[in-house]
Amino acid sequence: MTSEPARPTVGFIGLGSMGSGMTRNLQQAGYALVVNDVRKEAAEQLLAAGARWGETAAEVAAASDLVITMLPTPRHVAEVVTGPGGILAGIRDGGTWIDMSTSVPEVADQVRAEQAHRGLRILDAPVSGMSVGAAKGTLQIFVGGDAQDVARVRPVLEAMGDPERILHVGAHGAGYAVKLMINQLWFSHLVATAEVLSVGVKAGVDLAVLRDALVASPANSTFVERDVLSVLRDGDYDEGFAIALACKDLGLSVDLARAVGVPAEVSALVEQVYRRARASYGDRAGEMTPLRLYEDLIGRDLRL
Ligand code: NAD
């Protein structure tokens, strides 16, 4: 008789738009959870369904076999990992930390360098797929780190993502880099599309005709074909992903370009448009709000 290998207990810190769906899926897949967030109320449903609460990140790490962070920015990641009561204060030697935040490698690099004697296993595994994908368990996941570690944690990742789209993209930091480049290109598509639709409509072309022509043309993209429809059809600017976080991603992306010495004029411009939209509509406005800047400019909503 073969017995199922025991499932690791998963520690999870950051139960926001993304983490809430991801933890629900882990729980439904049968993983025991130990969770923490600065907003305890975010854990209510998980606790009711059997998850345990950790008062600190250290407590979460000490009580779990692997610990996942899903936090807004590199600053939050640093605080939760290396700060007082942080993961490093609780994780056992040889323990595993997976950062699924959209972030940069500095914190993990520092931990690897300063804690080398502890044999910690660290992976970066940021995701795409929006809060809807987090809720459905269909996230795309880009993993950077050692192949044996990726293979070992794959079942846990598969509880949150689409198994076909969980990609080991390279060494430590490669996951963060791939994720930032994806977001950069998607935000660039958004701004370029907003500009083109606004100019075309202002020039007298019917919006639906213009979009159909774009979709049938070599200029088509999944943004024009699919993603823009949430605004054009439903007026939904995706508040599941706050523009403050989009600006964070764009800033990190421009920083990365600077760090590797590649001029990135388009990325820098897109970042400025996003910052203007954030200044105009507030931190919590949705990631697609730059479209509104153009709608305001031409004095009408872009709706089919
Ligand atoms: P969010 O702001 O909704 O959630 C973050 C959570 O972290 C919040 O619940 C917050 O209370 C908690 N938190 C902050 N500081 C903490 C601390 N010190 N200790 C414990 N908990 C703390 O953000 P989100 O939209 O879930 O995004 C999380 C990450 O995923 C970000 O890096 C974001 O860029 C990335 N991401 C988001 C989306 C999306 O559509 N929302 C998609 C892909 C990737």
Side-chain angles (χ1 to χ4, degrees), residues 42 52-53 62 100 104 116 127 141 147 152 154 158 160 175 239 254 267 282 289 303:
R52 285 164 56 199
W53 176 253
M100 302 190 76
V104 285
V127 308
I141 307 180
R152 187 168 46 84
R154 180 170 268 279
E158 287 186 356
M160 298 178 278
E239 287 174 11
V254 171
S267 303
T289 311
R303 296 288 180 276

Side-chain angles (χ1 to χ4, degrees), residues 102-291:
T102 305
S103 189
V104 285
E106 274 78 1
V107 181
D109 286 349
Q110 186 196 341
V111 171
R112 256 194 308 279
E114 291 175 3
Q115 310 273 323
H117 57 286
R118 298 184 62 190
L120 300 176
R121 311 309 307 167
I122 302 177
L123 295 168
D124 46 301
V127 308
S128 269
M130 309 164 102
S131 48
V132 179
K136 286 191 182 156
T138 55
L139 292 172
Q140 189 174 16
I141 307 180
F142 313 99
V143 197
D146 295 344
Q148 307 95 293
D149 293 328
V150 180
R152 187 168 46 84
V153 304
R154 180 170 268 279
V156 176
L157 300 179
E158 287 186 356
M160 298 178 278
D162 173 354
E164 302 290 313
R165 299 193 307 146
I166 297 173
L167 306 175
H168 181 202
V169 292
H172 296 292
Y176 290 133
V178 168
K179 170 60 187 169
L180 288 178
M181 293 304 96
I182 289 172
N183 276 20
Q184 178 65 61
L185 189 54
W186 193 85
F187 295 138
S188 302
H189 277 294
L190 183 144
V191 171
T193 303
E195 200 169 284
V196 159
L197 293 181
S198 304
V199 173
V201 162
K202 198 73 177 156
V205 185
D206 177 76
L207 178 61
V209 171
L210 176 56
R211 188 181 150 274
D212 286 350
L214 289 169
V215 168
S217 82
N220 190 28
S221 66
T222 51
F223 186 84
V224 174
E225 194 165 339
R226 186 191 64 197
D227 299 340
V228 75
L229 289 176
S230 74
V231 171
L232 302 193
R233 281 198 183 138
D234 308 323
D236 175 1
Y237 297 86
D238 187 22
E239 287 174 11
F241 188 47
I243 196 158
L245 287 180
C247 286
K248 175 264 304 187
D249 290 355
L250 286 161
L252 294 177
S253 164
V254 171
D255 287 349
L256 178 63
R258 186 179 298 110
V260 297
V262 177
E265 294 91 341
V266 174
S267 303
L269 200 67
V270 170
E271 185 201 5
Q272 295 301 320
V273 175
Y274 262 77
R275 286 179 53 192
R276 177 174 292 279
R278 178 182 181 179
S280 302
Y281 309 116
D283 287 359
R284 288 167 165 290
E287 62 172 332
M288 298 180 77
T289 311
L291 275 152

